[in-house]
Amino acid sequence: MARGWESKSVEAQIDAAEAPRSAVLDNAPSPETLELIRKKETILLSRTRVVRELKTVQNPRYKVVLTKALADLDAQLSTFAAV
């Protein structure tokens, strides 16, 4: 029995909806790239926290620790810029 135009229209709509999904999956970054992005964002968040604490810190010893931490985070970020 032949299908009517309505079922063909529904099939065409389903195909049209699935086409962009497959294109998005083809352009998806690799797991390694996602891991690098996640690490970089984590370092950036840590850096933001350290900078915020540096603005309000009053203990000179803690300020030295935060300054060293900031330098370390900047060094880690520079490795991501090279990649």
Side-chain angles (χ1 to χ4, degrees), residues 3-83:
R3 296 188 309 180
W5 65 271
E6 291 173 344
S7 62
K8 290 181 183 179
S9 174
V10 170
E11 183 181 356
Q13 290 176 359
I14 291 172
D15 289 341
E18 288 177 354
R21 266 191 231 145
S22 64
V24 169
L25 291 177
D26 292 340
N27 295 334
S30 68
E32 295 83 16
T33 305
L34 290 175
E35 182 68 19
L36 287 175
I37 292 170
R38 186 191 61 78
K39 285 182 181 180
K40 183 176 180 180
E41 288 176 351
T42 301
I43 293 170
L44 286 171
L45 285 173
S46 296
R47 188 183 188 286
T48 303
R49 181 188 57 83
V50 169
V51 168
R52 187 179 310 131
E53 287 185 19
L54 266 173
K55 290 179 182 177
T56 60
V57 70
Q58 295 183 3
N59 186 337
R61 291 181 185 167
Y62 188 50
K63 189 171 188 171
V64 169
V65 169
L66 289 175
T67 304
K68 288 180 181 178
L70 184 61
D72 182 54
L73 291 170
D74 286 338
Q76 290 179 27
L77 282 174
S78 68
T79 62
F80 284 106
V83 173

